[in-house]
């Protein structure tokens, strides 16, 4: 009886350890699946380029363009850090958009496709990427900079965890209600949370700026990636916010600290986390294999013992 209890306890501990090790893997798979479902729902329920000319759809697009013009003219007053959870000024409720999504973000170099919401509140950032309030709506155009924030991993989903993989020349795509806009990474910098000037609209430019926490698992800096519209004929250049075209390659030395902010790469921390997870799963698999072998040997040995004790002496 005592031995049986020990076996049960060992089994419970084994299952608990297995659940602990496999939970992050399972959460990431589920998060990716949820994102895919939301994006497919968006694709089915919204108007796309060349399909439908509903009056409310045209009005929404005009609202977005007007909003972009207004915040540029007003100097984006009220712009704050993404993690102050300020919502956007444009209310999308009642527009018929799936889950109030404004579209979705595709970044091949990071291997992600994320739902895109308007307003960086806690709910939106828990579901995907979000456009910062007082920054441009994701429709492109001159004098725009759509600043998109996302967690560096949330609830097991990668989100912007691998943002340091991006280098100059990589593509970033935004699919909105009407079309897909393609941007090209031009520069990466690291800033402090209150360096709002670094993410403001640059006159004459059509930009998308990605923002997330830095370093990985911490929250005292912001990792910023500037992207310029590929289809745009706007002239390349630079301004005093540090937004400028870079070369076609990037390494850690190419990360530009904005206003003297020191940079520390998170690649080693992410790699260590992956190694530990892989090692834990491998150890778990080895223990499970040993358990199966032990049970098979025990069963075989028990059968022999039973056969032996069951013999009748003549």
């Amino acid at each position: 009886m005592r031995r049986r209890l020990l076996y049960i306890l060992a089994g419970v501990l084994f299952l608990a350890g297995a659940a602990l090790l496999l939970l992050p893997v399972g959460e990431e798979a589920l998060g990716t699946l949820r994102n895919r479902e939301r994006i497919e729902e968006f694709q089915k329920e919204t108007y796309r380029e060349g399909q439908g000319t509903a009056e409310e759809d045209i009005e929404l697009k005009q609202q977005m363009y007007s909003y972009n013009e207004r915040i540029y003219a007003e100097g984006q007053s009220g712009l704050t850090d993404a993690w102050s959870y300020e919502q956007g000024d444009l209310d999308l409720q009642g527009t018929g958009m799936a889950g109030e999504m404004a579209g979705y973000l595709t970044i091949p170099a990071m291997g992600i496709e994320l739902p895109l919401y308007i307003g960086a509140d806690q709910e939106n950032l828990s579901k995907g990427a979000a456009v910062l309030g007082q920054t441009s709506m994701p429709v492109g155009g001159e004098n725009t900079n759509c600043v998109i924030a996302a967690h560096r991993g949330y609830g097991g989903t990668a989100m912007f965890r691998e943002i340091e993989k991006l280098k100059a020349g990589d593509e970033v795509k935004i699919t909105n209600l009407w079309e897909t806009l393609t941007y090209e990474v031009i520069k990466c910098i690291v800033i402090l949370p209150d360096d709002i000037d670094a993410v403001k609209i640059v006159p004459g430019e059509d930009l998308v700026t990605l923002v997330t926490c830095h370093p990985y698992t911490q929250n005292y800096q912001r990792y910023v990636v500037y992207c310029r519209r590929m289809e745009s004929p706007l002239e390349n250049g630079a301004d005093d916010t540090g937004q400028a075209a870079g070369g076609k390659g990037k390494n850690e030395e190419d990360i530009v600290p904005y206003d003297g902010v020191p940079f520390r790469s998170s690649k080693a921390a992410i790699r260590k986390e992956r190694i530990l997870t892989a090692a834990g799963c491998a150890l778990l698999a080895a223990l499970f294999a040993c358990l199966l072998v032990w049970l098979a040997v025990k069963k075989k040995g028990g059968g022999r013992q039973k056969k032996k004790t069951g013999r009748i002496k003549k």
Side-chain angles (χ1 to χ4, degrees):
M1 183 67 179
R2 185 176 179 182
R3 181 175 294 181
R4 181 176 295 179
L5 288 174
L6 288 174
Y7 289 157
I8 293 173
L9 179 60
V12 170
L13 290 174
F14 177 82
L15 291 175
L20 189 63
L21 282 171
L22 296 176
L23 184 61
V25 178
E27 283 185 332
E28 184 161 349
L30 287 174
T32 301
L33 179 61
R34 282 194 299 268
N35 287 341
R36 185 65 253 170
E37 289 175 346
R38 287 168 181 161
I39 289 169
E40 288 177 355
E41 182 182 2
F42 175 86
Q43 292 170 336
K44 290 176 183 178
E45 294 187 7
T46 57
Y47 293 100
R48 298 301 305 278
E49 186 175 18
Q51 298 181 18
T53 56
E55 184 177 341
E56 60 272 17
D57 185 55
I58 297 172
E59 183 181 354
L60 175 62
K61 190 173 186 179
Q62 188 55 52
Q63 283 181 337
M64 288 185 169
Y65 282 127
S66 298
Y67 175 86
N68 289 349
E69 292 172 1
R70 177 170 62 82
I71 63 169
Y72 174 65
E74 295 175 353
Q76 297 176 270
S77 60
L79 177 60
T80 60
D81 175 51
W83 280 265
S84 65
Y85 300 114
E86 290 291 330
Q87 296 193 30
D89 289 346
L90 186 60
D91 184 8
L92 298 181
Q93 293 184 359
T95 61
M97 297 172 62
E100 297 181 32
M101 284 173 56
Y104 57 93
L105 184 68
T106 305
I107 309 179
M110 291 170 63
I112 62 169
E113 200 167 46
L114 295 176
L116 182 61
Y117 300 88
I118 302 297
D121 59 21
Q122 296 190 48
E123 182 181 358
N124 287 344
L125 286 171
S126 71
K127 296 185 295 184
V131 177
L132 239 63
Q134 286 295 319
T135 74
S136 307
M137 292 293 139
V139 291
E142 189 175 357
N143 302 326
T144 63
N145 184 11
C146 179
V147 181
I148 299 174
H151 286 295
R152 204 158 186 186
Y154 185 89
T157 307
M159 295 197 180
F160 279 2
R161 182 181 62 201
E162 305 292 344
I163 197 168
E164 288 182 53
K165 284 186 175 181
L166 291 178
K167 61 183 183 299
D170 286 338
E171 288 187 354
V172 173
K173 296 183 179 181
I174 292 178
T175 300
N176 58 35
L177 286 159
W178 307 277
E179 60 185 333
T180 296
L181 309 176
T182 304
Y183 292 78
E184 181 181 28
V185 174
I186 55 174
K187 192 173 184 180
C188 306
I189 70 172
V190 176
I191 66 174
L192 294 176
D194 58 355
D195 288 337
I196 301 305
D197 286 344
V199 295
K200 282 191 171 183
I201 295 169
V202 179
E205 292 280 17
D206 183 344
L207 301 173
V208 160
T209 301
L210 310 179
V211 180
T212 192
C213 297
H214 186 77
Y216 179 60
T217 73
Q218 300 180 54
N219 195 27
Y220 62 85
Q221 291 177 334
R222 300 288 177 262
Y223 196 95
V224 179
V225 177
Y226 298 113
C227 313
R228 179 181 286 118
R229 180 89 170 269
M230 291 182 68
E231 303 93 329
S232 174
L234 300 178
E235 183 179 345
N236 291 349
D239 77 314
D240 59 4
T241 67
Q243 295 162 316
K248 288 295 179 183
K250 176 175 76 67
N251 53 42
E252 290 183 11
E253 288 70 33
D254 295 326
I255 303 297
V256 180
Y258 179 69
D259 199 22
V261 179
F263 168 73
R264 178 165 60 92
S265 175
S266 295
K267 291 180 180 178
I270 296 172
R271 186 164 52 248
K272 181 179 178 181
E273 181 180 82
R274 285 178 170 172
I275 291 172
L276 289 175
T277 300
C281 291
L283 178 61
L284 180 65
L287 289 174
F288 186 67
C290 291
L291 178 62
L292 291 178
V293 171
W294 178 74
L295 290 174
V297 171
K298 188 174 183 299
K299 183 177 181 181
K300 188 175 181 180
R304 287 179 178 176
Q305 182 67 25
K306 184 176 181 181
K307 185 176 180 180
K308 182 178 179 180
T309 55
R311 292 174 180 171
I312 300 175
K313 293 183 179 180
K314 295 183 179 179

